[in-house]
Amino acid sequence: MKAVFSARRSLPCMLAGAVVLAGASSFEDVAQARTQQASGDKKQVWSVATCMAMIGDDPYGARDYALDWLHHGGGRDARHCHALALLEAGDEDESARELDELAHQTAPKGDVPPPALRATLEDEAAEAWLAAGVPGKAQASADFGLLVQPHDQSLQIARARSVLAQNRADLAEQELTALIAHQPGAMPEAYVLLAEAERKMGRLDLAMQHVAHALAVAPDSAAALLERGIIRERKGDATGAQQDWQKVLDLSPDSHEADMARQDLAVMAADPDSP
């Protein structure tokens, strides 16, 4: 049995950083913004934090809020929220294009984003392109971001993910090994992706070592558990694989990783003797 897996970040993780940059927003702020929108309140006070906070449970409302804000003179912050709302609503292509455009924005079109924001925008654009199934454009977004912030770990990981999605496990393994050599305390996601690359190259023992490191740091990581299950299955440990995949379902039933775990469990159940 051949399992399919590619680690990916969830939108809530991306939004967490965006909201932190923008400042906290309470549920009361979101409720007030919706009321003002519905009533056409001309005194509405626009807030990036409020807009970002709406995306998780009401992406279409956040999209409309951002568009209304843009019609009332909103600039980069409104477009940023609009792009992330599109991503959550399932319009990955348009979201990625808007995020790329914002990152490439030059003075004649408005304020030039500072380097840290450009890096964030291109990290998000890469994630959107990956969600849209266009890894080549995801790599281009990550590469542009790395020109601005050469040592940005999130962008290095986004690039590795896009390279893996283009079936370049050798290049991903090379780049992630270099990243971890320079930053042994790299985020667990880097170790999960390195394990995936090594597994695809047949280096199962090394892959197990690196995914074990990720789980030592983040024992409830659905991505790490999913990858360890795949490695265990490849090594002939069907029971261990099933345990890991079931834990993914228990911990994160609505996630991308859970969808992959269900597929792997279904394949195993249909053909338990398949290698």
Side-chain angles (χ1 to χ4, degrees):
M1 178 184 71
K2 184 177 180 181
V4 178
F5 166 66
S6 180
R8 58 186 279 188
R9 290 174 63 202
S10 62
L11 183 65
C13 293
M14 296 162 62
L15 290 178
V19 173
V20 167
L21 287 173
S25 175
S26 67
F27 291 114
E28 290 80 3
D29 293 335
V30 174
Q32 182 180 17
R34 288 173 173 151
T35 300
Q36 289 174 330
Q37 269 188 290
S39 64
D41 190 343
K42 296 181 180 180
K43 296 182 180 179
Q44 179 163 350
V45 177
W46 306 99
S47 162
V48 62
T50 299
C51 190
M52 293 291 185
M54 293 172 68
I55 292 175
D57 68 336
D58 186 9
Y60 296 102
R63 178 201 61 190
D64 294 344
Y65 178 97
L67 286 173
D68 201 10
W69 186 5
L70 282 166
H71 293 153
H72 288 81
R76 185 174 61 215
D77 286 343
R79 289 191 65 197
H80 188 191
C81 185
H82 179 254
L84 292 181
L86 289 177
L87 177 57
E88 180 71 354
D91 192 351
E92 296 93 350
D93 285 77
E94 187 58 35
S95 172
R97 290 190 186 95
E98 188 159 7
L99 290 163
D100 271 336
E101 186 176 325
L102 281 169
H104 287 259
Q105 195 171 59
T106 55
K109 292 186 178 181
D111 294 334
V112 178
L117 178 56
R118 283 193 175 197
T120 296
L121 289 166
E122 288 294 39
D123 186 21
E124 293 166 349
E127 296 299 331
W129 284 125
L130 282 169
V134 192
K137 289 187 176 182
Q139 182 179 342
S141 296
D143 285 343
F144 182 80
L146 286 166
L147 288 175
V148 180
Q149 295 277 86
H151 304 295
D152 187 284
Q153 189 177 140
S154 291
L155 282 167
Q156 290 173 308
I157 289 172
R159 175 181 159 81
R161 191 182 301 105
S162 66
V163 167
L164 267 173
Q166 296 174 78
N167 299 315
R168 289 297 311 277
D170 55 338
L171 181 56
E173 188 268 345
Q174 177 185 337
E175 294 182 1
L176 289 164
T177 297
L179 168 61
I180 288 170
H182 287 93
Q183 302 182 55
M187 60 183 71
E189 187 177 3
Y191 285 89
V192 176
L193 287 168
L194 178 56
E196 180 184 353
E198 290 166 336
R199 185 248 305 164
K200 288 181 174 179
M201 297 171 70
R203 300 173 182 172
L204 298 183
D205 290 338
L206 272 176
M208 184 62 83
Q209 290 176 28
H210 287 124
V211 80
H213 177 94
L215 285 165
V217 176
D220 291 337
S221 166
L225 287 164
L226 178 63
E227 180 59 36
R228 188 175 68 178
I230 297 171
I231 298 167
R232 281 177 161 174
E233 186 273 333
R234 288 283 300 274
K235 290 170 71 74
D237 182 6
T239 300
Q242 288 175 316
Q243 290 172 347
D244 280 338
W245 295 334
Q246 184 58 52
K247 190 169 182 181
V248 171
L249 299 182
D250 294 340
L251 289 170
S252 189
D254 298 323
S255 66
H256 167 75
E257 289 80 10
D259 290 340
M260 297 296 100
R262 288 187 189 95
Q263 291 179 29
D264 293 337
L265 286 166
V267 172
M268 181 177 284
D271 190 5
D273 298 324
S274 177

